[in-house]
Amino acid sequence: MDIAALRSANPDHWNKATAIRALALDAVAAANSGHSGAPIGLADVATVLFEKHLKFDPKAPRWPDRDRFILSGGHASMLIYSLLHLTGYEDVTLDQIKNFRQWGAITAGHPEYGHVSGVETTTGPLGQGIANAVGFAMAEEIQRAQYGKKIVDHHTYVIAGDGCLMEGISQEAIGLAGRHKLSKLIVLWDDNDITIDGKVSLSDITDQKKRFAASGWSTHECNGHDPADIDRAISEAKATGKPALVACKTHIALGTSAQDTSKGHGALTAPDLMADAKKAWGWDQDAFVVPADIKAQWEAIGARGATDHAEWKTRFESVSERKQAEFNRAYALEVPNKLSSAIKRLKKKISEEQPKVATRKSGEMALEVINPIMPETVGGSADLTGSNNTKTGEMEAFDLDNRGGRYVYWGIREHAMAAAMNGMVLHGGIRAYSGTFFCFTDYARPSMRLAALMQIPTVFVMTHDSIGVGEDGPTHQPVEHLAICRATPNSWTFRPADTVEAAEAWEMAVTTKTTPSVMVMSRQNLPTVRTEHKNKNLVAQGAYVLADAEEKRQAIIMASGSEVEIALKARDLLQAEGIGTRVVSVPCMELFDAQDEAYRKRVLPGGPVRVAVEAAVQQPWDKYLTGERGKSTKAGFVGMTGFGASAPAAVLYEQFGITAEAVAQKVKDLL
Amino acid sequence: MDIAALRSANPDHWNKATAIRALALDAVAAANSGHSGAPIGLADVATVLFEKHLKFDPKAPRWPDRDRFILSGGHASMLIYSLLHLTGYEDVTLDQIKNFRQWGAITAGHPEYGHVSGVETTTGPLGQGIANAVGFAMAEEIQRAQYGKKIVDHHTYVIAGDGCLMEGISQEAIGLAGRHKLSKLIVLWDDNDITIDGKVSLSDITDQKKRFAASGWSTHECNGHDPADIDRAISEAKATGKPALVACKTHIALGTSAQDTSKGHGALTAPDLMADAKKAWGWDQDAFVVPADIKAQWEAIGARGATDHAEWKTRFESVSERKQAEFNRAYALEVPNKLSSAIKRLKKKISEEQPKVATRKSGEMALEVINPIMPETVGGSADLTGSNNTKTGEMEAFDLDNRGGRYVYWGIREHAMAAAMNGMVLHGGIRAYSGTFFCFTDYARPSMRLAALMQIPTVFVMTHDSIGVGEDGPTHQPVEHLAICRATPNSWTFRPADTVEAAEAWEMAVTTKTTPSVMVMSRQNLPTVRTEHKNKNLVAQGAYVLADAEEKRQAIIMASGSEVEIALKARDLLQAEGIGTRVVSVPCMELFDAQDEAYRKRVLPGGPVRVAVEAAVQQPWDKYLTGERGKSTKAGFVGMTGFGASAPAAVLYEQFGITAEAVAQKVKDLL
């Protein structure tokens, strides 16, 4: 690479881009940790994107009609931090850059949503950003259909590397974007031929342009170090009516002695290498110093968006106040006032009618109430619409001729579905929920974890939640998945026992602003157990006394979901023998654990025998299977100790010994 | 579709294929559960494959040089059960077919490895089979290089549907197969345009042939109901020198009133529909009846392989006895005699030299001993070779010009890596291990679960196992993943504290025939804690007393991996205050829980205060944080309650309060 030629061809551009390179090099060296090469290699592409294309206002980072910029290869975090600092995002100070990857700094090793104002999504786990971006672009289409182009009209730009494109989730994302002709989605591929282990060709020979084209994308390419060529390619990519890939041929760690090598992927910290690189770049500055004139040029780029923003404000204020309020409400994740009373009405009706339905159907019944009240909900399923019960009566499919459709047929793509749901929520103005079988939580988990880490209220509807699946067998029968969901911080795992609990769980899930929910629903029919109407949302407390002991309390049976019915029958058996038995329904352990100690002790007092029953592994229940630590309580568990089997559900419950008789016997054995 | 024309064009073929269709229809109807349409649609393709191409011997289902047949779309299970029954696999009796999906039958809802002799891998979770197949095909290449074409020379055939091809894992598999020119891998795509939610076009417009071609595959197509055309396409696919896709244009639920609809995807059980279909097929038989002449034709197909098998036996017996024994040993998953003593020598050396290294390095040191002794090991990494420490000194890369290379650069493809490792192990003759970061267990989990379900000894090397990752931050710091692995039945989660424990864990992992292992390894350096050499493998007991109380035992501190060092330091602090403290190292909970009660009580007697310390969530420890159930024991936990953060590792341990001082204080608070 002839660096001198690049420098002289367009010095203004070169200097701006090299400010990024120098900050990245210095910050990684100060941290002695991180990735120097990708920000250095991508600096030209990012400079052109921010200077010529991206619509953004550093003074209003959350302005709803900004373009979204997603750095899918999150390890290149110094690229985005540099850009945000240089263009004037107030939270990304030079001190933050200097404290890259240190305790208390917002400049984490990988860009984290909620830490930095200009970071649209947390990236680092590869492939997530490009799949998030599909959700961002879908959200833009849906909102544009709902509110009009005057208010919603922006692009989603992604920078992705070879790692993102090798991850399977990228194919799911590409397929979705191609199918839905998401023409405002532009992926800039950092085509640098390098991975950590060596040349890309060590593990892949895929022709990426052909691959994207096979799914309906427009494809483009450019010299990733020639600003005019980058500008041309992005301009063309925006005009195709299809999602567009721009293959940006770049040199990782450009101008350093590690250029074009996998060494360049890591932290370049050797003083000689750094000095030589800065010399080659013509950057004669102390560490972290950006000359005032270059900083001023960057700030001018940052200031450009103020006009766009002001014009948008004018347009926004020209629409009806009702529409403005609705738009703002959805963006603020506020819930319409009438939701609460509508949920109460449903609960009352159910308590009276006492239907016997699967909780997946219960979820649908709750959504039939919620969706008409909350136009910001977008539902879907990974090709299991009829099984997940996620599509309510009036919902229409999101499609080319119906961009306002609020139901997405995701195809058999659980992973990208979850990531794109996150993208929709992150975009703003939308609450996304979609379903698959609970067992296939496994396929979606990387994105579910990120929802928890980002503290966003995505809702994952997971039906067919136990051996109750029956004949499909152990590949489709979750046993460890409740433990998995409950072990994950910052998320709610709801396993309602009937339609009343399902309605309460859904109310929680669409009300929170900060917590993703997993709705764990049965395939099989269950009786209504909440037969006495209460206005209060009992699921909000996580666990509660569903039926108390009639005589002196000798036992407490805890259960969730489909096993609450079994717990109640066991209680009948025990009460018939004069053994006072309380049944505690536990629809959400995380919420119960968050209650104050007094409440928790009221529900689970020390002393009586405790038995938990759940058609899953014991691990999450162990914490309840003593009294207060150090106090004596005899306890037992009825559930699964291994994988399930293929047979009718009722047979499996019998064969695996998850029955009212077994629970009652366990209590008696312990007494 | 003109069924009459199909019938008359080739009645012999038609009748054989229709025997499959009829059995599938009858079995699904009897179970009132399952998938009729896919076996019916695929019957012609499968008939041609088994009749004209597949090398197999029903009397010797595990014959090493058989072709492998993988039904990636496992829901079409009645297709494979019918084929195995008709061709004479003795375990797949007509009774088994009649008991499809019932308790105790081997004919589970989805084909399960180990249940049915002709089922090569468990499928059902979509996309797994095609990724397994990449491992099968790699294993064939590696073994062919090791043992010669005389002994190893077979194909891997996969039938995959649209669901398999939409799952992201398929792209990872396609990329790998294309890169490595796995020319003996043939994928037959059930191109029927139907998914559960409707037409494929509802969610995908991908041109699959172009997509495969973009990754270096040869692509072909055929009329999936014309036996001559199917035969031509498969014959061509085998001759290209590349992995090959054959797009088989089929009609789901052919000849039924549900043909070409998503209804046809499910269970077709209506008596009228069934009667009409059989009439259209010209199949005038009672349920489950296959006329003797047609059964005889199928059995003749099954008998064909006996010659191939006999010829192979002759060739096999012509190679040296040493080579035969080595081949048989690897297939039987037997361990060379000298392994045990070599591991002991390593342990002794380490106990003496007491190096301070990261356990990921410890793992490498163990592998340096194992790999030269066990030529059946194949290692790899998902683009983190230098970080995972999975490549030992003499290992060469598996590549086009080095098919005997035992190290695979998987690329950034954790999911297909895990599935392909399973495939290698299932193929036979190979023990596969490969690595990524522990946090990215998430990406590989669907395949890791299947290893556990199939009871195969795949080894998943998961380094960078806690906040010890440091600056990369919470996206890269597992906190819930130990809980996830430990909640999964039938698997071993090893988290060694030093090189001695790592060597013992590796000995377990490469010795077992039935259990997958997860090797959870630190990024950061750790001291040698096993400073006194013992020949006995203590990790085999799961947990053991590492350091006992000097005075009267008042406390037990339990820990795993990098926190054992902290536990020992806490013990020092407590002993200095006269508080007798035992430290129990817990490298594998699953193995500890499998010990007899006497041993478990000896290690963890009731009475003393118990504190567990692990830089992860508490959930898996709760079971140890009481005495015997019902007995009083005060207990506490020092670990993580939420996600990590980006900062140097030492700072994080301080900030999150996972220190010797905190552990000692917890003990004192409880006393």
Side-chain angles (χ1 to χ4, degrees):
Chain A
M1 212 56 206
D2 186 347
I3 304 292
L6 287 177
R7 283 169 56 186
S8 59
N10 188 335
D12 265 8
H13 165 83
W14 176 263
N15 287 334
K16 285 198 293 282
T18 298
I20 296 172
R21 290 188 238 274
L23 285 174
L25 193 67
D26 290 338
V28 170
N32 194 26
S33 167
H35 301 262
S36 313
I40 291 170
L42 281 164
D44 296 307
V45 170
T47 297
V48 173
L49 177 65
F50 273 61
E51 180 171 1
K52 308 272 190 189
H53 296 277
L54 197 75
K55 182 171 71 170
F56 70 110
D57 180 0
K59 305 302 171 214
R62 310 301 294 167
W63 160 38
D65 199 37
R66 70 193 179 279
D67 285 344
R68 305 306 198 266
F69 170 63
I70 295 170
L71 183 62
S72 193
H75 56 280
S77 54
M78 269 311 301
L79 178 70
I80 191 167
Y81 298 147
S82 300
L83 288 160
L84 298 176
H85 168 69
L86 290 166
T87 54
Y89 284 74
E90 282 166 12
D91 53 341
V92 191
T93 61
L94 195 59
D95 265 359
Q96 291 289 353
I97 300 278
K98 289 179 179 171
N99 280 298
F100 178 54
R101 293 183 158 231
Q102 303 309 304
W103 180 263
I106 63 173
T107 45
H110 294 81
E112 291 189 39
Y113 175 76
H115 291 215
V116 180
S117 60
V119 168
E120 303 283 0
T121 179
T122 296
T123 53
L126 293 173
Q128 296 295 324
I130 190 171
N132 291 154
V134 168
F136 276 90
M138 282 183 169
E140 197 259 357
E141 295 282 359
I142 292 168
Q143 288 222 307
R144 188 145 37 84
Q146 288 180 334
Y147 292 98
K149 200 173 167 173
K150 274 195 339 191
I151 299 183
V152 182
D153 186 14
H154 52 266
H155 282 84
T156 301
Y157 295 98
V158 181
I159 288 183
D162 290 295
C164 288
L165 299 195
M166 267 197 244
E167 291 287 1
I169 189 176
S170 66
Q171 183 63 27
E172 301 182 13
I174 292 166
L176 282 165
R179 163 61 181 81
H180 288 291
K181 281 204 177 16
L182 301 175
S183 60
K184 303 179 85 176
L185 172 62
I186 315 286
V187 172
L188 306 167
W189 167 35
D190 184 17
D191 180 14
N192 64 20
D193 290 323
I194 290 295
T195 72
I196 290 174
D197 275 354
K199 292 268 179 204
V200 167
S201 58
L202 198 61
S203 57
D204 198 36
I205 56 163
T206 298
D207 182 325
Q208 297 291 358
K209 287 177 64 186
K210 285 187 181 161
R211 174 188 169 206
F212 278 73
S215 289
W217 286 55
S218 168
T219 64
H220 309 264
E221 59 189 10
C222 67
N223 173 345
H225 301 299
D226 176 345
D229 202 38
I230 298 165
D231 183 33
R232 173 201 54 76
I234 297 177
S235 299
E236 287 175 13
K238 286 157 78 173
T240 65
K242 297 177 180 180
L245 172 76
V246 182
C248 306
K249 200 77 205 164
T250 60
H251 295 272
I252 198 168
L254 179 83
T256 75
S257 59
Q259 181 183 312
D260 301 328
T261 70
S262 55
K263 186 196 165 192
H265 194 284
L268 302 176
T269 57
D272 284 2
L273 179 150
M274 292 175 65
D276 290 350
K278 287 186 179 176
K279 199 170 162 195
W281 297 339
W283 189 260
D284 185 19
Q285 305 293 336
D286 288 341
F288 297 110
V289 172
V290 176
D293 60 324
I294 298 175
K295 182 73 165 79
Q297 287 183 57
W298 268 113
E299 283 171 0
I301 292 171
R304 175 173 54 73
T307 313
D308 291 326
H309 185 193
E311 288 170 3
W312 176 83
K313 259 188 175 160
T314 306
R315 291 196 303 276
F316 183 68
E317 284 158 9
S318 77
V319 305
S320 74
E321 281 188 19
R322 198 198 52 74
K323 214 166 181 178
Q324 287 183 45
E326 189 64 9
F327 184 89
N328 287 332
R329 182 189 64 72
Y331 258 86
L333 291 167
E334 299 289 350
V335 173
N337 289 331
K338 55 186 169 181
L339 179 72
S340 171
S341 54
I343 292 284
K344 287 188 184 81
R345 272 197 303 279
L346 172 65
K347 284 166 55 180
K348 188 153 189 293
K349 179 166 171 283
I350 296 296
S351 295
E352 285 163 10
E353 296 178 0
Q354 303 180 11
K356 183 166 178 159
V357 295
T359 47
R360 60 188 169 122
K361 180 71 185 169
S362 303
E364 183 184 334
M365 291 159 80
L367 285 168
E368 290 283 5
V369 168
I370 292 165
N371 283 338
I373 296 175
M374 297 179 75
E376 67 267 39
T377 56
V378 172
S381 168
D383 199 42
L384 291 166
T385 294
S387 298
N388 296 146
N389 298 69
T390 38
K391 189 164 185 285
T392 56
E394 297 308 300
M395 273 190 155
E396 293 175 358
F398 173 75
D399 211 336
L400 302 187
D401 57 1
N402 189 9
R403 291 306 209 183
R406 287 164 56 198
Y407 192 81
V408 181
Y409 289 106
W410 294 104
I412 301 98
R413 302 183 179 107
E414 301 82 7
H415 198 176
M417 173 179 83
M421 281 199 285
N422 287 348
M424 286 181 174
V425 176
L426 290 162
H427 174 276
I430 283 179
R431 284 187 183 268
Y433 71 87
S434 288
T436 183
F437 287 164
F438 190 35
C439 217
F440 303 138
T441 304
D442 286 350
Y443 281 76
R445 227 199 91 74
S447 306
M448 293 171 71
R449 180 179 208 255
L450 282 166
L453 182 60
M454 290 191 277
Q455 302 181 25
I456 57 171
T458 317
V459 184
F460 305 97
V461 180
M462 296 290 173
T463 69
H464 297 61
D465 71 350
S466 73
I467 53 168
V469 165
E471 291 88 345
D472 273 348
T475 54
H476 286 53
Q477 290 165 358
V479 295
E480 71 274 44
H481 299 81
L482 283 164
I484 292 172
C485 292
R486 290 166 180 159
T488 305
N490 295 342
S491 58
W492 289 337
T493 308
F494 292 106
R495 190 166 186 250
D498 71 359
T499 308
V500 175
E501 284 195 357
E504 292 179 340
W506 266 107
E507 185 179 19
M508 296 297 293
V510 297
T511 302
T512 176
K513 300 181 180 187
T514 56
T515 311
S517 297
V518 189
M519 291 288 170
V520 183
M521 305 302 213
S522 76
R523 175 191 183 215
Q524 70 272 36
N525 287 343
L526 303 174
T528 299
V529 296
R530 285 277 293 281
T531 51
E532 188 189 333
H533 176 64
K534 286 199 167 66
N535 268 327
K536 190 173 177 181
N537 185 323
L538 300 186
V539 167
Q541 296 174 300
Y544 62 93
V545 179
L546 178 63
D548 214 345
E550 285 169 15
E551 293 87 16
K552 178 175 177 295
R553 186 172 55 235
Q554 297 184 61
I556 299 175
I557 304 175
M558 299 171 277
S560 82
S562 45
E563 286 72 65
V564 171
E565 175 185 14
I566 291 171
L568 288 170
K569 284 182 180 160
R571 176 178 173 275
D572 290 344
L573 296 173
L574 292 164
Q575 289 284 162
E577 297 187 40
I579 301 170
T581 303
R582 166 181 287 190
V583 169
V584 173
S585 180
V586 190
C588 182
M589 288 187 179
E590 298 90 339
L591 284 168
F592 182 59
D593 295 344
Q595 302 304 305
D596 62 30
E597 194 182 350
Y599 179 76
R600 285 183 284 119
K601 277 196 178 168
R602 223 161 43 239
V603 174
L604 293 181
V609 158
R610 290 186 191 175
V611 171
V613 51
E614 188 169 79
V617 300
Q618 181 174 338
Q619 192 186 82
W621 290 94
D622 282 312
K623 63 183 163 185
Y624 303 133
L625 292 181
T626 64
E628 288 306 291
R629 292 235 156 77
K631 278 196 194 156
S632 168
T633 291
K634 291 184 179 172
F637 179 73
V638 174
M640 297 295 290
T641 56
F643 293 112
S646 172
V651 174
L652 293 176
Y653 270 88
E654 281 294 323
Q655 292 287 347
F656 288 110
I658 304 174
T659 62
E661 291 72 22
V663 173
Q665 191 58 50
K666 177 78 80 178
V667 168
K668 288 192 280 183
D669 291 348
L670 289 164
L671 277 171
Chain B
M1 212 55 207
D2 186 347
I3 304 292
L6 287 177
R7 283 169 57 185
S8 59
N10 188 335
D12 266 8
H13 165 83
W14 176 263
N15 286 334
K16 285 198 292 284
T18 298
I20 297 172
R21 290 187 239 274
L23 285 174
L25 194 66
D26 289 339
V28 170
N32 194 25
S33 166
H35 301 262
S36 314
I40 291 170
L42 281 164
D44 296 306
V45 171
T47 297
V48 173
L49 177 66
F50 272 61
E51 179 171 2
K52 308 272 190 189
H53 296 277
L54 197 75
K55 182 172 69 170
F56 69 109
D57 179 1
K59 306 301 172 217
R62 312 299 296 164
W63 161 37
D65 200 36
R66 70 194 179 280
D67 286 343
R68 306 305 198 265
F69 170 63
I70 294 170
L71 183 62
S72 193
H75 56 280
S77 55
M78 270 311 302
L79 179 70
I80 190 166
Y81 298 147
S82 300
L83 287 160
L84 298 176
H85 169 69
L86 290 166
T87 55
Y89 285 74
E90 283 166 10
D91 53 341
V92 190
T93 62
L94 195 60
D95 265 359
Q96 291 288 353
I97 301 276
K98 289 179 179 171
N99 280 297
F100 178 55
R101 294 185 157 229
Q102 303 309 304
W103 181 262
I106 64 174
T107 44
H110 295 80
E112 290 189 39
Y113 176 75
H115 290 217
V116 180
S117 61
V119 168
E120 303 282 0
T121 180
T122 296
T123 53
L126 293 173
Q128 296 295 323
I130 190 171
N132 290 156
V134 169
F136 276 91
M138 281 183 170
E140 197 261 354
E141 295 280 0
I142 292 169
Q143 287 223 308
R144 187 145 37 85
Q146 289 181 334
Y147 291 97
K149 199 173 169 173
K150 275 195 337 191
I151 301 183
V152 182
D153 187 14
H154 53 265
H155 283 85
T156 301
Y157 294 97
V158 181
I159 289 184
D162 291 295
C164 288
L165 299 195
M166 267 198 243
E167 292 286 1
I169 190 175
S170 66
Q171 182 63 27
E172 301 182 13
I174 293 167
L176 282 163
R179 164 61 182 81
H180 288 291
K181 281 204 180 12
L182 301 175
S183 59
K184 302 178 84 178
L185 173 61
I186 314 285
V187 173
L188 306 169
W189 166 35
D190 184 17
D191 180 14
N192 65 19
D193 290 324
I194 289 295
T195 72
I196 291 174
D197 275 353
K199 291 268 177 205
V200 168
S201 59
L202 198 61
S203 56
D204 198 36
I205 56 163
T206 298
D207 182 325
Q208 297 291 359
K209 287 178 63 186
K210 286 188 181 162
R211 174 189 168 206
F212 278 73
S215 290
W217 286 56
S218 168
T219 64
H220 310 264
E221 60 189 9
C222 68
N223 174 345
H225 301 298
D226 175 345
D229 202 38
I230 297 165
D231 182 34
R232 172 201 54 77
I234 297 177
S235 300
E236 287 175 11
K238 285 157 79 174
T240 65
K242 298 177 180 181
L245 171 76
V246 182
C248 305
K249 200 77 205 165
T250 62
H251 295 271
I252 198 167
L254 179 82
T256 75
S257 60
Q259 181 183 312
D260 301 327
T261 69
S262 55
K263 186 196 167 194
H265 194 285
L268 301 176
T269 57
D272 283 1
L273 179 149
M274 292 175 64
D276 290 349
K278 288 186 180 177
K279 198 169 165 197
W281 297 339
W283 190 260
D284 185 20
Q285 305 293 336
D286 288 341
F288 296 109
V289 172
V290 177
D293 60 325
I294 297 175
K295 183 73 167 75
Q297 288 184 55
W298 269 114
E299 282 170 1
I301 292 171
R304 175 173 53 75
T307 314
D308 292 326
H309 184 192
E311 288 170 3
W312 176 83
K313 259 187 174 161
T314 306
R315 291 196 302 275
F316 183 69
E317 283 157 9
S318 75
V319 305
S320 74
E321 281 188 19
R322 198 197 52 73
K323 215 168 180 176
Q324 287 183 44
E326 188 65 11
F327 184 90
N328 287 332
R329 183 189 63 71
Y331 258 86
L333 291 167
E334 298 290 349
V335 174
N337 290 329
K338 56 186 169 182
L339 180 71
S340 171
S341 54
I343 292 283
K344 287 189 183 81
R345 273 196 303 280
L346 172 64
K347 284 167 55 181
K348 188 154 189 293
K349 179 167 170 283
I350 295 296
S351 294
E352 285 161 11
E353 296 178 0
Q354 303 180 12
K356 184 166 177 160
V357 296
T359 47
R360 61 188 167 121
K361 179 72 184 169
S362 303
E364 183 185 334
M365 291 159 79
L367 286 167
E368 290 283 6
V369 168
I370 293 166
N371 283 339
I373 296 175
M374 299 180 73
E376 66 267 40
T377 57
V378 172
S381 168
D383 199 43
L384 290 167
T385 294
S387 298
N388 296 146
N389 298 69
T390 38
K391 190 164 184 286
T392 56
E394 298 307 302
M395 273 190 156
E396 293 174 358
F398 173 77
D399 210 337
L400 302 188
D401 56 1
N402 189 10
R403 291 306 208 183
R406 287 163 56 197
Y407 192 81
V408 181
Y409 289 105
W410 294 106
I412 301 97
R413 303 183 179 106
E414 300 83 7
H415 198 176
M417 172 179 84
M421 282 199 286
N422 288 348
M424 287 181 173
V425 175
L426 290 162
H427 174 276
I430 283 179
R431 284 187 183 266
Y433 72 86
S434 288
T436 183
F437 287 163
F438 189 34
C439 217
F440 304 138
T441 305
D442 286 349
Y443 281 76
R445 228 198 90 73
S447 306
M448 293 172 71
R449 180 179 207 257
L450 282 166
L453 182 60
M454 290 191 276
Q455 303 183 22
I456 57 171
T458 317
V459 185
F460 304 98
V461 180
M462 296 289 173
T463 69
H464 297 61
D465 70 350
S466 73
I467 52 168
V469 166
E471 292 88 344
D472 272 348
T475 54
H476 286 53
Q477 290 165 357
V479 295
E480 71 274 43
H481 299 79
L482 283 164
I484 291 172
C485 292
R486 290 167 179 158
T488 306
N490 295 344
S491 59
W492 290 336
T493 309
F494 292 107
R495 189 166 187 250
D498 70 0
T499 308
V500 175
E501 284 195 357
E504 292 179 340
W506 265 108
E507 185 179 18
M508 297 295 293
V510 297
T511 303
T512 177
K513 299 181 181 185
T514 56
T515 312
S517 297
V518 189
M519 291 287 169
V520 184
M521 305 301 211
S522 76
R523 175 192 184 214
Q524 70 272 33
N525 287 342
L526 303 174
T528 299
V529 297
R530 286 277 293 282
T531 52
E532 189 189 332
H533 175 64
K534 286 200 167 68
N535 269 327
K536 188 173 179 182
N537 185 322
L538 301 187
V539 167
Q541 296 173 301
Y544 62 92
V545 179
L546 177 63
D548 213 346
E550 285 168 16
E551 293 87 15
K552 176 175 178 297
R553 185 172 55 237
Q554 296 186 60
I556 299 175
I557 303 176
M558 299 171 277
S560 82
S562 46
E563 285 72 65
V564 171
E565 175 186 14
I566 291 171
L568 289 170
K569 284 182 181 160
R571 176 178 173 276
D572 290 344
L573 295 174
L574 292 164
Q575 288 285 162
E577 296 187 41
I579 301 170
T581 303
R582 164 182 289 189
V583 169
V584 174
S585 181
V586 189
C588 182
M589 287 186 179
E590 298 89 341
L591 284 168
F592 182 60
D593 295 345
Q595 302 304 304
D596 62 29
E597 192 181 353
Y599 178 77
R600 285 183 284 119
K601 276 196 178 168
R602 221 161 46 240
V603 174
L604 293 182
V609 159
R610 290 187 190 173
V611 171
V613 51
E614 188 169 78
V617 300
Q618 178 173 338
Q619 190 172 279
W621 290 93
D622 281 313
K623 62 183 162 185
Y624 303 134
L625 293 181
T626 64
E628 289 305 292
R629 294 238 153 76
K631 279 198 195 155
S632 168
T633 291
K634 290 183 180 173
F637 180 73
V638 174
M640 298 294 291
T641 55
F643 293 111
S646 173
V651 175
L652 293 175
Y653 271 87
E654 282 293 324
Q655 291 287 348
F656 287 111
I658 304 174
T659 63
E661 292 72 22
V663 172
Q665 190 58 50
K666 178 76 78 176
V667 168
K668 288 193 280 183
D669 291 348
L670 289 164
L671 278 170

